[in-house]
Amino acid sequence: ETNQSQSELVTPSTYQDVLNSLQKEDWTRAMDNEVQSLLESNTWHLVPKSEASNIITGKWVFKIKYHNGKFQKFKARYCARGFSQKKGIDYDEVFAPVSRASSMLITLGLANQQKHNIHLIDVKNAFVRAHVHDHNLYLSQPQGYERYGPNGEQLVCKLDKYLYGLLQASREFNLHLTNILTKKLGFTKFLSDNCLCFHHTTKLALSIYVDDIIATCADINTLNQFAEDLRKHDLPITIEKLEDISTAQILGIEIEYNKDKGYLHLFQLHSIEKSLKDFDLQDLPHASTPMEPNWHPNLHPEDISSALDYPIRETIGRLNDYAIHTRPDIQQAVSRVQRE
């Protein structure tokens, strides 16, 4: 735990900000852990800069992680700056599917109906599990951790595995995970959702969103065997069983589940409170309905000028996320505003 209160915690934007931060030791420790993890995973090897056809620049990204609104840990990631990649040299295809919100909700709903166990699975350093196979990718070394050749020459990282920030990283990890599930572990993908998988023998269902997986099954031994199988294929994971903790969280959604009572509650309280602060809406009066009857922007011409200076797209984007995951009561109102 940090010695400072949450109100004193500031997320640095650059490596230089870390050096000037009150939590310098905490952020430095987080960076040390990240570099150590990347090296242990054999993510790259160093080569002379002259070998590189194109050098992808990198950046430290820092984040203070919270769990249900409470401080959890300092986290640092070294990421590639994807915009410095060149098509045809560093990548070709970049699209990566994720599970639909409706698929996730149906998976949870069926598990609750059948009184199955629900587990939240996170793949550690997911993107560095997929091997680079189609391009030679060169990345600048992490700032603060540079090494040089025997004669002082500059070195760059030649990637052996994909890294966060690369345009194709999510796609390659999805292909890697899907290949393991379908060809080695006997799962079948749904035609309606490529990120929804089912094992007909064990009845284990998976809803996959990049490196976050919702798994449901009747028998805990099934899940334990599945976890062991993934680890055998170099996919270390962490697992949370919903009934082991009061409130779990995945993709910004808090989940409370009681298998015996058939109680499943999904909400986004902390995310909504953060959005109210981000968009300066926390002091507005509450409304009894999501939208006034027969609302139309032409009925409020005085609001048009102020709306031009307001981050309206970002606001509607957040609202749409809440509507499709936990607040279907505002779906019609959000859809109506999106049309304008």
Side-chain angles (χ1 to χ4, degrees):
E1 294 187 3
T2 179
N3 295 327
Q4 287 80 22
S5 65
Q6 287 186 203
S7 60
E8 296 176 316
L9 298 180
V10 177
T11 303
S13 299
T14 65
Y15 177 75
Q16 190 60 43
D17 289 343
V18 169
L19 300 182
N20 299 326
S21 171
L22 293 175
Q23 295 90 35
K24 177 182 175 180
E25 291 185 3
D26 297 303
W27 289 117
T28 300
R29 193 178 303 114
M31 289 191 295
D32 290 343
N33 292 337
E34 170 71 357
V35 171
Q36 183 64 29
S37 177
L38 293 173
L39 294 177
E40 289 177 353
S41 300
N42 298 314
T43 309
W44 62 61
H45 63 276
L46 297 177
V47 299
K49 184 179 180 180
S50 56
E51 280 191 23
S53 53
N54 177 52
I55 299 176
I56 304 166
T57 56
K59 176 180 173 59
W60 280 109
V61 176
F62 306 99
K63 185 177 182 180
I64 300 173
K65 295 206 72 173
Y66 296 92
H67 186 80
N68 299 327
K70 295 182 179 179
F71 171 82
Q72 188 178 28
K73 65 177 180 179
F74 294 93
K75 188 169 185 177
R77 276 205 189 283
Y78 186 63
C79 301
R81 302 168 85 184
F83 62 82
S84 61
Q85 291 182 254
K86 294 182 179 180
K87 188 171 184 179
I89 297 177
D90 300 318
Y91 72 95
D92 292 312
E93 298 292 333
V94 299
F95 172 76
V98 294
S99 183
R100 297 176 180 175
S102 56
S103 299
M104 182 189 73
L105 296 177
I106 290 172
T107 301
L108 291 171
L110 288 174
N112 182 39
Q113 182 186 59
Q114 299 168 359
K115 294 189 175 181
H116 283 185
N117 299 302
I118 300 177
H119 304 266
L120 307 182
I121 298 175
D122 177 64
V123 182
K124 297 180 182 178
N125 282 348
F127 290 177
V128 303
R129 304 301 163 186
H131 291 265
V132 175
H133 56 84
D134 52 355
H135 296 92
N136 290 321
L137 302 177
Y138 300 93
L139 178 76
S140 60
Q141 295 189 62
Q143 190 174 5
Y145 296 84
E146 295 90 343
R147 293 170 58 188
Y148 297 89
N151 298 317
E153 66 267 27
Q154 287 188 307
L155 304 177
V156 295
C157 305
K158 183 176 182 181
L159 295 179
D160 298 307
K161 297 181 180 178
Y162 291 96
L163 194 69
Y164 289 89
L166 291 173
L167 297 178
Q168 72 271 44
S170 183
R171 173 186 177 85
E172 294 297 335
F173 172 72
N174 178 267
L175 293 173
H176 179 63
L177 176 62
T178 301
N179 180 66
I180 292 174
L181 292 176
T182 57
K183 296 183 179 180
K184 298 181 180 180
L185 300 184
F187 281 83
T188 301
K189 294 192 296 184
F190 280 67
L191 294 177
S192 58
D193 189 335
N194 281 334
C195 292
L196 193 61
C197 299
F198 186 73
H199 198 288
H200 291 277
T201 303
T202 62
K203 309 302 180 186
L204 177 62
L206 306 175
S207 180
I208 305 168
Y209 199 102
V210 190
D211 58 349
D212 291 307
I213 304 172
I214 295 176
T216 67
C217 59
D219 183 10
I220 187 63
N221 293 326
T222 298
L223 195 282
N224 292 335
Q225 183 59 52
F226 173 67
E228 187 61 31
D229 290 339
L230 287 182
R231 294 185 180 110
K232 288 179 182 178
H233 291 91
D234 191 31
L235 287 177
I237 60 175
T238 58
I239 302 176
E240 284 185 321
K241 183 180 178 184
L242 259 59
E243 291 178 287
D244 290 341
I245 46 181
S246 57
T247 303
Q249 182 171 310
I250 187 169
L251 303 177
I253 303 170
E254 291 112 80
I255 306 174
E256 293 179 350
Y257 178 52
N258 188 305
K259 181 175 67 173
D260 297 327
K261 296 182 179 180
Y263 173 84
L264 177 68
H265 184 201
L266 276 66
F267 56 100
Q268 292 172 285
L269 175 62
H270 298 295
S271 179
I272 291 174
E273 289 178 343
K274 182 179 184 301
S275 293
L276 290 174
K277 294 178 181 178
D278 289 345
F279 300 118
D280 197 25
L281 299 172
Q282 68 271 29
D283 296 326
L284 292 181
H286 292 191
S288 58
T289 59
M291 178 179 287
E292 63 183 78
N294 302 316
W295 177 88
H296 192 278
N298 292 345
L299 299 176
H300 302 275
E302 70 281 0
D303 293 340
I304 295 178
S305 60
S306 61
L308 295 176
D309 299 324
Y310 191 78
I312 193 71
R313 291 183 179 179
E314 292 87 343
T315 307
I316 293 176
R318 297 270 188 99
L319 288 171
N320 188 58
D321 177 76
Y322 303 142
I324 64 176
H325 284 108
T326 60
R327 292 297 302 273
D329 56 313
I330 67 170
Q331 181 67 74
Q332 193 277 335
V334 174
S335 299
R336 181 71 180 85
V337 174
Q338 285 176 322
R339 295 206 302 267
E340 302 304 333

